[in-house]
Amino acid sequence: MADEIFRDRWLAELYDPLDPDRGDLDAYLLCAQEVGARRVLDIGCGTGVLALLLAERGVEVVGLDPAGASLDVARAKPGADRVRWVHGDVTALPPLRVDLVTMTANVAQAIVEPETWRRTLAGAYEALRPGGRLVFETRDPAARAWEEWNREDSYRVTDVAGFGAVVSWVELTRVTGPLVTFRWHYVLDGGDGEVTLTSDSTLRFRERAEVEADLAAHGYVLEDVRDAPDRPGREFVFVAARPAAD
């Protein structure tokens, strides 16, 4: 089940304007270039930013997401007809043979249930051609990113076309072992007065060794664990391959 920020149409439309700096995608564009990817599956594509950037470069892209509202935003963007959008999880995918599978931003961590995580890794493996790569990021638990998730550090006012001034902030609500739950608050003018919307999210913070073991268990060969260029020392970017002889 997708979080409210991706399922609610208003919140889905606010997602890009409230997070306009997508320097985090540079690692994925670089990886696609490095492996010469011509076909890419973007799991958890959201509003389609990476999928559309790849499509502009002539890459054949399938964008997969369980949130219909986010896909509606993606489909309305210029160039959206170049991407094949699929609503659902990996079980909704048609047969594929792609060069690269991506999971950007919080996608991997948002898959909190162990069985769903295993199913996602298996589905990505099945979609890859032999020799194809899977690349995704996850926060290093040692950096304790959640300690900065509070109103004081996150409060901001953003002028958004069609919405006016939007006030937003995040608050940490619970930490239970590797699971961290937080709530985003949004205050905007709804036309008949002020409207407050919230979206709760839970992320699983996996240790590097745990991720490496999960990849090996699903047949992947780990090629590299990189630093995230936009958040050095805070994230792991995993690059794993389906063996060429598979």
Side-chain angles (χ1 to χ4, degrees), residues 140-165:
D140 181 355
R144 301 178 67 84
W146 58 86
E147 293 181 348
E148 301 173 1
W149 298 349
N150 55 70
R151 180 183 174 113
E152 181 180 359
D153 290 333
S154 63
Y155 185 93
R156 58 181 171 168
V157 181
T158 307
D159 189 28
V160 179
F163 289 90

mmCIF file of all heavy atoms in Angstrom, residues 140-165:
data_model
loop_
_atom_site.group_PDB
_atom_site.id
_atom_site.type_symbol
_atom_site.label_atom_id
_atom_site.label_comp_id
_atom_site.label_asym_id
_atom_site.label_seq_id
_atom_site.Cartn_x
_atom_site.Cartn_y
_atom_site.Cartn_z
ATOM 1 N N ASP A 140 22.255 4.586 5.407
ATOM 2 C CA ASP A 140 23.095 3.900 6.380
ATOM 3 C C ASP A 140 22.487 4.132 7.769
ATOM 4 O O ASP A 140 22.404 5.289 8.223
ATOM 5 C CB ASP A 140 24.514 4.471 6.323
ATOM 6 C CG ASP A 140 25.473 3.789 7.285
ATOM 7 O OD1 ASP A 140 25.034 2.930 8.078
ATOM 8 O OD2 ASP A 140 26.674 4.119 7.246
ATOM 9 N N PRO A 141 22.045 3.086 8.469
ATOM 10 C CA PRO A 141 21.452 3.291 9.796
ATOM 11 C C PRO A 141 22.383 4.021 10.759
ATOM 12 O O PRO A 141 21.910 4.727 11.658
ATOM 13 C CB PRO A 141 21.166 1.863 10.273
ATOM 14 C CG PRO A 141 21.087 1.040 9.032
ATOM 15 C CD PRO A 141 22.048 1.667 8.076
ATOM 16 N N ALA A 142 23.693 3.868 10.583
ATOM 17 C CA ALA A 142 24.646 4.499 11.495
ATOM 18 C C ALA A 142 24.562 6.020 11.451
ATOM 19 O O ALA A 142 24.934 6.695 12.418
ATOM 20 C CB ALA A 142 26.069 4.047 11.154
ATOM 21 N N ALA A 143 24.065 6.584 10.355
ATOM 22 C CA ALA A 143 23.948 8.040 10.234
ATOM 23 C C ALA A 143 22.751 8.587 11.003
ATOM 24 O O ALA A 143 22.655 9.801 11.206
ATOM 25 C CB ALA A 143 23.853 8.442 8.769
ATOM 26 N N ARG A 144 21.810 7.707 11.391
ATOM 27 C CA ARG A 144 20.641 8.092 12.210
ATOM 28 C C ARG A 144 19.916 9.315 11.631
ATOM 29 O O ARG A 144 19.679 10.323 12.302
ATOM 30 C CB ARG A 144 21.058 8.339 13.660
ATOM 31 C CG ARG A 144 21.715 7.116 14.303
ATOM 32 C CD ARG A 144 22.167 7.396 15.727
ATOM 33 N NE ARG A 144 21.035 7.626 16.606
ATOM 34 C CZ ARG A 144 20.322 6.674 17.214
ATOM 35 N NH1 ARG A 144 20.630 5.385 17.005
ATOM 36 N NH2 ARG A 144 19.321 6.967 18.003
ATOM 37 N N ALA A 145 19.541 9.208 10.365
ATOM 38 C CA ALA A 145 18.898 10.326 9.660
ATOM 39 C C ALA A 145 17.639 10.804 10.363
ATOM 40 O O ALA A 145 17.303 11.999 10.316
ATOM 41 C CB ALA A 145 18.568 9.907 8.228
ATOM 42 N N TRP A 146 16.941 9.914 11.016
ATOM 43 C CA TRP A 146 15.662 10.253 11.636
ATOM 44 C C TRP A 146 15.795 11.286 12.764
ATOM 45 O O TRP A 146 14.807 11.917 13.144
ATOM 46 C CB TRP A 146 14.987 8.996 12.157
ATOM 47 C CG TRP A 146 15.786 8.219 13.159
ATOM 48 C CD1 TRP A 146 15.824 8.415 14.512
ATOM 49 C CD2 TRP A 146 16.674 7.126 12.882
ATOM 50 N NE1 TRP A 146 16.679 7.512 15.093
ATOM 51 C CE2 TRP A 146 17.210 6.710 14.123
ATOM 52 C CE3 TRP A 146 17.050 6.459 11.721
ATOM 53 C CZ2 TRP A 146 18.117 5.650 14.230
ATOM 54 C CZ3 TRP A 146 17.951 5.407 11.816
ATOM 55 C CH2 TRP A 146 18.478 5.009 13.050
ATOM 56 N N GLU A 147 16.990 11.465 13.278
ATOM 57 C CA GLU A 147 17.161 12.446 14.349
ATOM 58 C C GLU A 147 16.963 13.876 13.849
ATOM 59 O O GLU A 147 16.789 14.799 14.651
ATOM 60 C CB GLU A 147 18.541 12.288 14.983
ATOM 61 C CG GLU A 147 18.697 10.969 15.733
ATOM 62 C CD GLU A 147 20.054 10.804 16.378
ATOM 63 O OE1 GLU A 147 20.964 11.613 16.052
ATOM 64 O OE2 GLU A 147 20.215 9.872 17.193
ATOM 65 N N GLU A 148 16.977 14.072 12.541
ATOM 66 C CA GLU A 148 16.750 15.394 11.960
ATOM 67 C C GLU A 148 15.320 15.573 11.474
ATOM 68 O O GLU A 148 14.995 16.619 10.900
ATOM 69 C CB GLU A 148 17.718 15.608 10.792
ATOM 70 C CG GLU A 148 19.183 15.518 11.177
ATOM 71 C CD GLU A 148 20.110 15.572 9.980
ATOM 72 O OE1 GLU A 148 19.606 15.706 8.841
ATOM 73 O OE2 GLU A 148 21.330 15.472 10.174
ATOM 74 N N TRP A 149 14.479 14.573 11.676
ATOM 75 C CA TRP A 149 13.112 14.644 11.195
ATOM 76 C C TRP A 149 12.224 15.265 12.269
ATOM 77 O O TRP A 149 11.548 14.572 13.038
ATOM 78 C CB TRP A 149 12.614 13.258 10.790
ATOM 79 C CG TRP A 149 13.422 12.684 9.654
ATOM 80 C CD1 TRP A 149 14.341 13.336 8.888
ATOM 81 C CD2 TRP A 149 13.401 11.341 9.173
ATOM 82 N NE1 TRP A 149 14.890 12.496 7.952
ATOM 83 C CE2 TRP A 149 14.337 11.266 8.103
ATOM 84 C CE3 TRP A 149 12.682 10.200 9.529
ATOM 85 C CZ2 TRP A 149 14.561 10.087 7.399
ATOM 86 C CZ3 TRP A 149 12.909 9.032 8.830
ATOM 87 C CH2 TRP A 149 13.831 8.970 7.776
ATOM 88 N N ASN A 150 12.244 16.583 12.327
ATOM 89 C CA ASN A 150 11.457 17.321 13.310
ATOM 90 C C ASN A 150 11.024 18.646 12.701
ATOM 91 O O ASN A 150 11.546 19.082 11.673
ATOM 92 C CB ASN A 150 12.274 17.565 14.583
ATOM 93 C CG ASN A 150 13.591 18.262 14.295
ATOM 94 O OD1 ASN A 150 13.619 19.441 13.940
ATOM 95 N ND2 ASN A 150 14.705 17.532 14.427
ATOM 96 N N ARG A 151 10.063 19.286 13.343
ATOM 97 C CA ARG A 151 9.506 20.526 12.790
ATOM 98 C C ARG A 151 10.553 21.629 12.682
ATOM 99 O O ARG A 151 10.621 22.351 11.679
ATOM 100 C CB ARG A 151 8.337 20.989 13.672
ATOM 101 C CG ARG A 151 7.679 22.280 13.191
ATOM 102 C CD ARG A 151 6.587 22.730 14.139
ATOM 103 N NE ARG A 151 6.076 24.025 13.742
ATOM 104 C CZ ARG A 151 4.860 24.271 13.275
ATOM 105 N NH1 ARG A 151 4.019 23.269 13.122
ATOM 106 N NH2 ARG A 151 4.482 25.488 12.949
ATOM 107 N N GLU A 152 11.403 21.754 13.687
ATOM 108 C CA GLU A 152 12.388 22.828 13.701
ATOM 109 C C GLU A 152 13.318 22.759 12.496
ATOM 110 O O GLU A 152 13.629 23.780 11.869
ATOM 111 C CB GLU A 152 13.203 22.768 14.993
ATOM 112 C CG GLU A 152 14.251 23.867 15.102
ATOM 113 C CD GLU A 152 15.041 23.781 16.384
ATOM 114 O OE1 GLU A 152 14.764 22.873 17.209
ATOM 115 O OE2 GLU A 152 15.943 24.628 16.571
ATOM 116 N N ASP A 153 13.779 21.551 12.143
ATOM 117 C CA ASP A 153 14.742 21.401 11.052
ATOM 118 C C ASP A 153 14.104 21.329 9.672
ATOM 119 O O ASP A 153 14.786 21.527 8.661
ATOM 120 C CB ASP A 153 15.587 20.138 11.263
ATOM 121 C CG ASP A 153 16.544 20.273 12.427
ATOM 122 O OD1 ASP A 153 16.930 21.416 12.743
ATOM 123 O OD2 ASP A 153 16.889 19.242 13.042
ATOM 124 N N SER A 154 12.786 21.034 9.612
ATOM 125 C CA SER A 154 12.161 20.793 8.307
ATOM 126 C C SER A 154 11.111 21.820 7.899
ATOM 127 O O SER A 154 10.641 21.795 6.759
ATOM 128 C CB SER A 154 11.516 19.394 8.303
ATOM 129 O OG SER A 154 10.480 19.327 9.284
ATOM 130 N N TYR A 155 10.725 22.718 8.796
ATOM 131 C CA TYR A 155 9.637 23.672 8.500
ATOM 132 C C TYR A 155 10.032 24.589 7.347
ATOM 133 O O TYR A 155 11.112 25.162 7.316
ATOM 134 C CB TYR A 155 9.348 24.510 9.740
ATOM 135 C CG TYR A 155 8.171 25.451 9.588
ATOM 136 C CD1 TYR A 155 6.897 25.062 9.989
ATOM 137 C CD2 TYR A 155 8.330 26.728 9.049
ATOM 138 C CE1 TYR A 155 5.809 25.919 9.861
ATOM 139 C CE2 TYR A 155 7.254 27.585 8.902
ATOM 140 C CZ TYR A 155 5.999 27.176 9.315
ATOM 141 O OH TYR A 155 4.924 28.029 9.182
ATOM 142 N N ARG A 156 9.136 24.705 6.372
ATOM 143 C CA ARG A 156 9.380 25.614 5.256
ATOM 144 C C ARG A 156 8.064 26.035 4.621
ATOM 145 O O ARG A 156 7.041 25.343 4.737
ATOM 146 C CB ARG A 156 10.289 24.984 4.211
ATOM 147 C CG ARG A 156 9.777 23.697 3.624
ATOM 148 C CD ARG A 156 10.751 23.131 2.612
ATOM 149 N NE ARG A 156 10.376 21.794 2.192
ATOM 150 C CZ ARG A 156 10.906 21.164 1.161
ATOM 151 N NH1 ARG A 156 11.815 21.769 0.422
ATOM 152 N NH2 ARG A 156 10.533 19.951 0.842
ATOM 153 N N VAL A 157 8.116 27.149 3.919
ATOM 154 C CA VAL A 157 6.963 27.661 3.171
ATOM 155 C C VAL A 157 7.387 27.746 1.711
ATOM 156 O O VAL A 157 8.390 28.385 1.384
ATOM 157 C CB VAL A 157 6.516 29.039 3.684
ATOM 158 C CG1 VAL A 157 5.307 29.522 2.881
ATOM 159 C CG2 VAL A 157 6.194 28.987 5.169
ATOM 160 N N THR A 158 6.609 27.089 0.834
ATOM 161 C CA THR A 158 6.954 27.024 -0.590
ATOM 162 C C THR A 158 5.797 27.573 -1.408
ATOM 163 O O THR A 158 4.642 27.182 -1.212
ATOM 164 C CB THR A 158 7.224 25.566 -1.018
ATOM 165 O OG1 THR A 158 8.191 24.985 -0.143
ATOM 166 C CG2 THR A 158 7.727 25.509 -2.453
ATOM 167 N N ASP A 159 6.102 28.481 -2.325
ATOM 168 C CA ASP A 159 5.080 29.009 -3.224
ATOM 169 C C ASP A 159 4.924 28.043 -4.390
ATOM 170 O O ASP A 159 5.865 27.830 -5.161
ATOM 171 C CB ASP A 159 5.493 30.391 -3.724
ATOM 172 C CG ASP A 159 4.369 31.070 -4.480
ATOM 173 O OD1 ASP A 159 3.202 30.788 -4.188
ATOM 174 O OD2 ASP A 159 4.669 31.876 -5.393
ATOM 175 N N VAL A 160 3.751 27.435 -4.510
ATOM 176 C CA VAL A 160 3.502 26.418 -5.527
ATOM 177 C C VAL A 160 2.406 26.903 -6.469
ATOM 178 O O VAL A 160 1.308 27.276 -6.021
ATOM 179 C CB VAL A 160 3.084 25.077 -4.887
ATOM 180 C CG1 VAL A 160 2.810 24.036 -5.968
ATOM 181 C CG2 VAL A 160 4.151 24.592 -3.924
ATOM 182 N N ALA A 161 2.699 26.901 -7.765
ATOM 183 C CA ALA A 161 1.709 27.333 -8.754
ATOM 184 C C ALA A 161 0.435 26.507 -8.614
ATOM 185 O O ALA A 161 0.467 25.283 -8.564
ATOM 186 C CB ALA A 161 2.287 27.178 -10.156
ATOM 187 N N GLY A 162 -0.699 27.181 -8.565
ATOM 188 C CA GLY A 162 -1.983 26.511 -8.451
ATOM 189 C C GLY A 162 -2.402 26.242 -7.019
ATOM 190 O O GLY A 162 -3.567 25.920 -6.755
ATOM 191 N N PHE A 163 -1.457 26.365 -6.074
ATOM 192 C CA PHE A 163 -1.763 26.104 -4.665
ATOM 193 C C PHE A 163 -1.486 27.299 -3.765
ATOM 194 O O PHE A 163 -2.037 27.407 -2.683
ATOM 195 C CB PHE A 163 -0.932 24.916 -4.154
ATOM 196 C CG PHE A 163 -1.356 23.587 -4.695
ATOM 197 C CD1 PHE A 163 -0.794 23.093 -5.866
ATOM 198 C CD2 PHE A 163 -2.318 22.826 -4.047
ATOM 199 C CE1 PHE A 163 -1.172 21.861 -6.371
ATOM 200 C CE2 PHE A 163 -2.700 21.594 -4.539
ATOM 201 C CZ PHE A 163 -2.135 21.101 -5.712
ATOM 202 N N GLY A 164 -0.604 28.201 -4.221
ATOM 203 C CA GLY A 164 -0.199 29.308 -3.367
ATOM 204 C C GLY A 164 0.877 28.877 -2.387
ATOM 205 O O GLY A 164 1.671 27.974 -2.666
ATOM 206 N N ALA A 165 0.898 29.500 -1.227
ATOM 207 C CA ALA A 165 1.895 29.193 -0.207
ATOM 208 C C ALA A 165 1.541 27.877 0.481
ATOM 209 O O ALA A 165 0.445 27.723 1.018
ATOM 210 C CB ALA A 165 1.981 30.318 0.805
#
